[in-house]
């Protein structure tokens, strides 16, 4: 199983990344080949709906998105990871997802997806808009949702240390690794 983890937090070593690392540890222990793609430091501009990609073999925007396309073209499972920013995903992750409004998405071998998210709020309701968005995306792109780990009450860097969610993320990584291909 090839798994790509798309990390949408700009904060190095933050709560999202720590959660990702737990999933990755579980997936690798179960034999998966994992690629971690962090959007931090990458220049990924929003889609401008110019339709250049409809008649050419590439996007008209020159930035770091080809690195993301390359990873997505070589993965069976895609894990979206994002902090909650104003009740939804980070702008960094949204920009990358919008760039899948491109015929290249028809070539992606992705079968499975999973979601990791963190927020400062103390209620799981804070994740409802994000979950609704991902469910819609998964249905649209025919990706099978394998699971999610959403963690409340984490705000400062390091808050997630020792959280039981890390074991859940590890178990989700194992589950993804063992999904039938
Ligand atoms: C721009 C911005 C918007 C945020 N919006 C929310 C929000 O709507 N709800 C919430 O519970 N936390 C919100 N937060 C808090 C983050 O989700 C929280 O700090 C999280 O732990 C950051 O994850 P990271 O350590 O991976 O960067 C926001 C933080 C930022 C920087």
């Amino acid at each position: 199983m090839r798994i790509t983890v798309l990390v949408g937090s700009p904060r190095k070593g933050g709560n999202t990344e720590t959660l990702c690392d737990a999933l990755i540890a579980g997936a690798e222990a179960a034999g998966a080949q994992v690629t971690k793609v962090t959007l931090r430091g990458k220049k990924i501009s929003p889609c401008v709906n110019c339709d250049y990609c409809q008649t050419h073999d590439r996007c008209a925007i020159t930035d770091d998105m080809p690195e993301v396309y390359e990873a997505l073209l070589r993965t069976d499972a895609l894990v979206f990871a994002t902090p909650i920013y104003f009740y939804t995903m980070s702008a960094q992750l949204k920009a990358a997802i919008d760039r899948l409004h491109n015929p290249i998405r028809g070539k992606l071998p992705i079968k499975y997806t999973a979601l990791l998210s963190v927020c400062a709020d103390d209620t799981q309701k804070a994740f409802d808009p994000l979950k609704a968005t991902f469910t819609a995306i998964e249905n649209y792109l025919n990706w099978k949702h394998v699971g999610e780990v959403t963690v409340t009450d984490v705000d400062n860097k390091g808050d997630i240390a020792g959280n039981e969610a890390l074991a859940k993320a590890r178990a989700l990584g194992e589950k993804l690794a063992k999904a039938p291909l």
Side-chain angles (χ1 to χ4, degrees):
M1 173 70 69
R2 300 168 300 173
I3 301 174
T4 297
V5 181
L6 201 51
V7 190
S9 169
R11 193 151 67 162
K12 185 177 170 59
N15 299 310
T16 306
E17 191 163 34
T18 303
L19 195 59
C20 289
D21 290 344
L23 181 144
I24 291 167
E28 287 182 337
Q33 180 193 322
V34 185
T35 304
K36 181 173 165 183
V37 177
T38 181
L39 300 177
R40 177 185 66 247
K42 285 192 178 37
K43 184 174 183 301
I44 298 187
S45 303
C47 175
V48 291
N49 200 8
C50 66
D51 277 346
Y52 184 89
C53 62
Q54 303 298 327
T55 50
H56 299 76
D57 207 14
R58 63 177 188 85
C59 177
I61 302 170
T62 304
D63 61 7
D64 295 331
M65 191 61 196
E67 293 173 42
V68 180
Y69 289 138
E70 279 308 310
L72 300 188
L73 282 165
R74 284 180 276 105
T75 200
D76 306 301
L78 176 58
V79 179
F80 293 99
T82 180
I84 291 289
Y85 279 5
F86 282 95
Y87 296 94
T88 187
M89 70 187 83
S90 67
Q92 289 84 350
L93 182 57
K94 184 64 163 65
I97 290 175
D98 283 357
R99 296 284 291 281
L100 298 181
H101 185 71
N102 178 316
I104 199 169
R105 72 165 179 255
K107 298 180 185 166
L108 305 181
I110 297 165
K111 283 181 78 168
Y112 300 110
T113 46
L115 176 64
L116 298 178
S117 188
V118 302
C119 79
D121 207 339
D122 63 0
T123 169
Q124 282 285 332
K125 278 193 168 303
F127 297 106
D128 286 353
L130 177 72
K131 287 182 187 174
T133 298
F134 273 100
T135 299
I137 292 172
E138 287 161 347
N139 289 342
Y140 179 60
L141 295 178
N142 237 339
W143 292 337
K144 184 171 166 26
H145 185 82
V146 173
E148 65 210 19
V149 179
T150 52
V151 190
T152 61
D153 298 285
V154 292
D155 196 6
N156 296 314
K157 201 167 162 176
D159 279 354
I160 202 168
N163 195 301
E164 61 182 17
L166 298 177
K168 289 183 185 161
R170 189 182 167 94
L172 179 56
E174 288 168 9
K175 187 177 173 186
L176 269 175
K178 292 174 184 163
L181 280 176

